[in-house]
Amino acid sequence: MTEKKTAAIDAKDLRRLAEEQLGDKSGAVPLSAPQVDSARLLHELQVHQIELEMQNAELRQTRDEAELLLDKYTELYEFAPVGYFTLLPDGRIRNLNLSTATLLGIDRSEITGRRFVDFVAIAGRHDFVDFLDNVFLSEIKQTCAIELVTSAGAALYAQLEAVAGAGAEECHLVVIDITRIKLAEQQRQELEKQLRQKHKMEAIGVMAGGIAHNFNNHLAIILGNVELVSRKLPSDSHHLELLDNAKLALYRCRDLVTQILSYSRYGGQKRTPVCLSELIEATAKLLLLTLPGTIKLQQVIEENSQFAMINGNFAEIQEALINLCINAIQAMNEKGDLTLI
């Protein structure tokens, strides 16, 4: 059915409704010919008036419905959960919705007319330019993920979806905030990295434990031979002091091996009573073997001190004390007096 015929039917229906609303107002009194003509003309005018009123009412209803639809469209467009842009081929912003301005934290009037690339993080600007070129060269939707920068300087990770309009005079761009998804992905990757590092350290710990066991066995052999030599020397031999220093170094190496075994979970951290005066004296003997001649080492140890005993790991405390002494020697430019109190 053609539009012309449909319009004719609508006009016919409109007249019928108007005549029904007007009703039959012709009287039963016979009329002369001039009166009949006047009555017919009056009837047509009344019908036409009713038709106009009905058309005006229909137009007002159509206008109200259009305004309602426009309000709904405006609300959906302006306050959509995603950002909408209209971009020109050179990347300038022709239009945008309020949601986008809220995302960027900038008033809409300050965004319109600017280039979209101004809101892209520097590292991603080249990718965005390529993306926009593809949008205007292609007739299908293009997508990319990119980092935007808000007015507060915070990173806003977004997924862009765009398609060129008719004639490629502009494109319609959708900005979807994926910051939470991106951050969750980064956290997942960081956890995976930590897990891989943990597995790597566990593997190193197992390997270190095996090496430490073998090294400990060799130390036991060396220590045993030093002890045998010490027993065979006379009590007044000056070599005994050298062997005692060697044994102290071997004991320290054995304690270091114990720490390695503890780290690799082959052993445990042992805390035992430690006499500070004995620890300082043993440490001083080790230091005397390596100190340059320009350093004079002194010990000031208070006997019978109530704080002379502590609960700890002898090797760890000794290692920390040696490190402190080495730092002090370096600070002194290897000249002066070093006192252990």
Side-chain angles (χ1 to χ4, degrees), residues 1 17 46 53-54 68 74 90 92 123 151 177 187 219 237 259 283 287 296 298 300 322 326-327:
M1 184 177 294
L17 293 173
Q46 291 174 337
E53 292 175 354
M54 295 176 65
L68 181 61
T74 301
D90 61 358
R92 283 184 295 117
S151 61
D177 185 3
Q187 291 176 355
L219 285 178
S237 175
Q259 292 182 43
T283 304
L287 289 172
K296 183 179 179 181
Q298 297 180 354
V300 180
I322 290 175
I326 293 174
N327 291 337

Side-chain angles (χ1 to χ4, degrees), residues 128-146:
F128 173 76
V129 172
D130 290 342
F131 163 76
L132 191 61
D133 289 341
N134 291 332
V135 170
F136 282 99
L137 291 175
S138 175
E139 296 181 354
I140 60 176
K141 181 176 69 174
Q142 301 292 320
T143 62
C144 79
I146 208 162

Side-chain angles (χ1 to χ4, degrees), residues 36-48:
V36 171
D37 292 338
S38 297
R40 185 180 296 113
L41 179 59
L42 178 61
H43 177 78
E44 289 295 330
L45 290 174
Q46 291 174 337
V47 170
H48 185 61

Side-chain angles (χ1 to χ4, degrees), residues 166-300:
E169 295 181 356
E170 61 183 23
C171 78
H172 304 290
L173 175 69
V174 177
V175 179
I176 304 172
D177 185 3
I178 58 171
T179 302
R180 292 184 179 179
I181 299 175
K182 184 70 175 180
L183 293 178
E185 176 66 17
Q186 290 178 348
Q187 291 176 355
R188 184 187 65 81
Q189 292 177 356
E190 181 63 25
L191 289 175
E192 289 181 352
K193 180 181 178 181
Q194 293 177 5
L195 185 61
R196 288 194 298 269
Q197 183 67 17
K198 178 184 177 184
H199 291 164
K200 184 187 298 184
M201 294 304 295
E202 288 177 351
I204 293 175
V206 173
M207 182 176 65
I211 295 174
H213 272 299
N214 292 330
F215 189 70
N216 208 24
N217 293 335
H218 293 303
L219 285 178
I221 295 173
I222 297 172
L223 186 60
N225 283 277
V226 171
E227 186 67 32
L228 289 174
V229 173
S230 298
R231 292 179 181 179
K232 291 183 178 182
L233 290 175
S235 58
D236 59 347
S237 175
H238 67 280
H239 294 298
L240 287 176
E241 184 177 358
L242 298 176
L243 291 174
D244 288 341
N245 289 333
K247 285 191 288 184
L248 286 174
L250 289 170
Y251 288 142
R252 183 166 181 265
C253 290
R254 187 178 64 183
D255 290 337
L256 290 175
V257 170
T258 302
Q259 292 182 43
I260 295 175
L261 290 173
S262 175
Y263 172 78
S264 62
R265 297 180 182 178
Y266 275 76
Q269 293 285 351
K270 294 182 179 180
R271 302 294 179 190
T272 58
V274 177
C275 178
L276 292 180
S277 59
E278 293 179 0
L279 183 144
I280 293 175
E281 185 176 355
T283 304
K285 289 182 179 180
L286 289 176
L287 289 172
L288 284 172
L289 299 175
T290 57
L291 287 179
T294 55
I295 295 293
K296 183 179 179 181
L297 181 63
Q298 297 180 354
Q299 303 176 49
V300 180

Side-chain angles (χ1 to χ4, degrees), residues 16 51 80 82-83 94 103 110 122 126 151 154 208 211 236 244 248 261 264 272 274 292 299 305 318 323-324 326 335:
R16 178 179 56 79
E51 288 178 342
V82 297
R94 172 178 286 180
L103 282 175
E110 299 179 8
I122 295 177
H126 180 74
S151 61
I211 295 174
D236 59 347
D244 288 341
L248 286 174
L261 290 173
S264 62
T272 58
V274 177
Q299 303 176 49
S305 172
Q318 187 179 59
N323 289 333
L324 288 173
I326 293 174
K335 292 181 182 179

Side-chain angles (χ1 to χ4, degrees), residues 156-168:
L156 171 65
Y157 297 100
Q159 179 176 328
L160 307 183
E161 299 180 358
V163 62

Side-chain angles (χ1 to χ4, degrees), residues 31-156:
L31 300 175
S32 62
Q35 289 176 331
V36 171
D37 292 338
S38 297
R40 185 180 296 113
L41 179 59
L42 178 61
H43 177 78
E44 289 295 330
L45 290 174
Q46 291 174 337
V47 170
H48 185 61
Q49 181 182 2
I50 294 174
E51 288 178 342
L52 290 176
E53 292 175 354
M54 295 176 65
Q55 287 176 331
N56 287 335
E58 184 177 357
L59 288 173
R60 285 194 296 269
Q61 182 180 356
T62 303
R63 182 199 61 192
D64 293 342
E65 291 176 352
E67 290 178 351
L68 181 61
L69 291 175
L70 179 61
D71 290 341
K72 289 183 178 180
Y73 168 79
T74 301
E75 183 177 356
L76 289 173
Y77 174 78
E78 296 290 2
F79 304 104
V82 297
Y84 288 116
F85 281 94
T86 301
L87 302 183
L88 298 176
D90 61 358
R92 283 184 295 117
I93 300 171
R94 172 178 286 180
N95 197 10
L96 69 152
N97 65 344
L98 286 175
S99 296
T100 304
T102 302
L103 282 175
L104 297 176
I106 306 175
D107 189 81
R108 179 158 56 176
S109 61
E110 299 179 8
I111 301 176
T112 305
R114 295 179 60 180
R115 298 171 69 239
F116 186 86
V117 73
D118 294 341
F119 304 100
V120 178
I122 295 177
R125 291 186 176 182
H126 180 74
D127 293 337
F128 173 76
V129 172
D130 290 342
F131 163 76
L132 191 61
D133 289 341
N134 291 332
V135 170
F136 282 99
L137 291 175
S138 175
E139 296 181 354
I140 60 176
K141 181 176 69 174
Q142 301 292 320
T143 62
C144 79
I146 208 162
E147 180 182 346
L148 304 179
V149 179
T150 66
S151 61
L156 171 65

